[in-house]
Amino acid sequence: MCSPKLWRKPLMGVVPTDTEASVKIQEMGILPLLSTLLNPQSSCTPKVANIIAEVAKNEFMRTPCVEAGLIPPLIQLLNSTDQEILLQTGRALGNICYDSHSLQGQLISMGVIPTLVKLLGIHSHNAALTEMCLIAFGNLAELESSKEQFASTNIAEELVRLFQKQVEHEKKEMIFEVLAPLAENDAIKLQMVEAGLVECLLEVVAQTVDGKREEDVAQLKTASDLMVLLLLGDESMQKLFEGGKGSVFQRVLSWIPSHNHQLQLAGALAIANFARNDGNCIHMVDTGIVQKLLELLDRHIDEGNVTVQHAALSALRNLAIPVVNKSKMLSAGVADVVLKFLQSEMPPVQFKLLGTLRMLIDTQVEAADQLGTNGKLVERLVEWCEAKDHAGVMGESNRLLSALIRHSKSKDVVRTVIQGGGVKHLVTMATSEHMIMQNEALVALGLIAALDLAAAEKDFEEANLVAVLHKLLSDERSAPEIKYNSMILICAVMGSEPLHKEIQSRAFIDVVSKLRSHENKTVSHQASLTEQRLTAQS
């Protein structure tokens, strides 16, 4: 199979490669003369283009070809109606620009993409020319600068039309290799959907789902992956969702209970992509999609396919975002199933299960209380709070630990977190570079101080909480919310004698008094209250 990356490998022709001959052509100064022979009306033009293509297969000859001014006349030849000229010209340009993004970018700026798309439409019956165009598209499509030009053509329509005519696996793969990078552009995604690509992909899936041949497995993966990619665009996704009644959406649902792991994966990822707005999420939960996902996860507790676990948890996390869905999903037993993966050693799965639980307990007091008093869960969270090699897992663990306290406001949860060694991680979280995490940590710490200061006192001391608060209040870059909640926490921990002594030793009054003139009225008001408290107890 010919490589589908544009000119990733020099395109082969009928003339044998001869390094020595190429050297002599360069030494004799022949290259600049060749540009004068690239005349659309000349019968020798295909041969000249062929010579250039063969010469340019040698890496050391590509720069000389550019310096000889061969690219502009070659691009002009792409307007020819002679198919042999077009083929050899494409080969020559491809080999000159092989593995050079800067030269490929030059071709794009000279308008080669619309010309090649037009050629594909005109000469789709010519296998060699078609292959040349596909190889070109496959590489040019990887350059970000190409996307706008491709979007202004009917490339999606031409590729879908070409795909529908193919019977050979290799040719379909070549087209797939072009479609995938192009489908990263939202405008082109929509064009592909409107051109009927989805129907082609569904047909490929139906034909290959039970296939045992290697090429069937490869086509199934490529087609289902591309289907998921099309759903990453908001417009294309909504067009296929059709209010939850679309035939494509219904077909994707049928993939989830499939026996095929690739289809299970694609189905779960598709649901996660459909679940990118509240309306879709609410509709899917109301129509029973949660149960399908839970059944899929249950199958993979033993089968242990990490990619399927990750995809199904991603879908559940997205579905849990709308407030109205949370209680329904909790009642369906989502939390119980998710907890079965608590022993997973795979960071992608850990990350998604943490995010799913955090979404589920948001505003759900009873669920937060139940999970927050689960000693095994809290123990695992504390362990993951130290997962420095996996920042995402570490961050989500901290956020869930904080969320359990903030949403339950329960003394039992606070005690479970204290006993599990979670306090020090929340203090560290308050120093995060992300303001939202800082704020979540400060609110949770404030609740710990309010609900069980005596039990947390030693942990607060060992974690240097007072020093952290002093730094947050002194830092001009701290957001108003951070300063406000830091002062609330200062007042809350003053009930502890050792913490109170440390507060006095750090001259908090000076820091707080400066905040009385803060431009944020809430901050300045709290500064006045905090100063009064500090003064009264000094």
Side-chain angles (χ1 to χ4, degrees), residues 345 347 350 354 377-399 401 417-429 437 459 462-463:
E345 295 301 328
Q350 296 167 354
L354 290 166
L377 171 60
V378 172
E379 180 183 336
R380 194 66 161 145
L381 292 182
V382 170
E383 180 185 335
W384 286 339
C385 283
E386 297 173 357
K388 291 184 172 57
D389 291 338
H390 303 287
V393 173
M394 187 167 67
E396 277 292 347
S397 299
N398 277 294
R399 295 192 74 184
L401 204 59
V417 171
I418 293 171
Q419 290 165 6
V423 172
K424 64 180 180 181
H425 295 297
L426 292 173
V427 174
T428 301
M429 182 182 170
M437 290 181 66
D459 289 336
E462 291 178 353

Side-chain angles (χ1 to χ4, degrees), residues 138-158:
N139 199 47
L140 292 176
E142 293 184 353
L143 275 69
E144 196 56 41
S145 58
S146 73
K147 300 296 196 294
E148 193 173 332
Q149 273 199 32
F150 273 118
S152 68
T153 71
N154 64 335
I155 183 68
E157 188 180 328
E158 293 294 356

Side-chain angles (χ1 to χ4, degrees), residues 234-267:
D234 289 337
E235 285 188 86
S236 53
M237 179 270 288
Q238 282 300 97
K239 189 174 183 67
L240 294 173
F241 189 66
E242 292 184 77
K245 296 180 172 58
S247 59
V248 173
F249 172 66
Q250 296 301 325
R251 187 83 69 90
V252 166
L253 284 186
S254 72
W255 293 356
I256 295 176
S258 165
H259 64 279
N260 185 291
H261 284 183
Q262 175 58 34
L263 274 196
Q264 293 171 2
L265 170 63

Side-chain angles (χ1 to χ4, degrees), residues 10 68 70 80 115 151 169 195 214 244 263 276 345 406 446 503 523:
L70 297 180
S80 171
T115 303
H169 166 70
E214 188 177 330
L263 274 196
R276 288 209 315 279
E345 295 301 328
R406 289 184 294 108
I503 289 169
V523 171

Side-chain angles (χ1 to χ4, degrees), residues 287-336:
T287 51
I289 190 62
V290 170
Q291 197 56 44
K292 292 180 186 292
L293 290 168
L294 293 183
E295 289 168 4
L296 177 60
L297 277 173
D298 266 330
R299 291 166 64 181
H300 284 278
I301 291 171
D302 296 325
E303 292 182 33
N305 187 300
V306 173
T307 56
V308 176
Q309 293 171 1
H310 178 265
L313 288 168
S314 297
L316 288 171
R317 179 199 176 281
N318 288 359
L319 289 169
I321 292 174
V323 175
V324 295
N325 281 357
K326 298 180 192 297
S327 59
K328 295 175 185 176
M329 292 177 68
L330 287 165
S331 298
V334 172
D336 295 332

Side-chain angles (χ1 to χ4, degrees), residues 163 167-173 176 200-201 203-205 207-208 213-226 262:
F163 187 88
V167 291
E168 296 178 30
H169 166 70
E170 288 80 5
K171 290 291 175 64
K172 287 184 177 180
E173 281 294 312
F176 275 142
C200 294
L201 298 178
E203 188 176 339
V204 170
V205 168
Q207 291 171 350
T208 58
R213 296 177 305 170
E214 188 177 330
E215 64 184 52
D216 289 334
V217 174
Q219 277 199 40
L220 176 67
K221 176 171 173 33
T222 306
S224 55
D225 283 350
L226 186 50
Q262 175 58 34

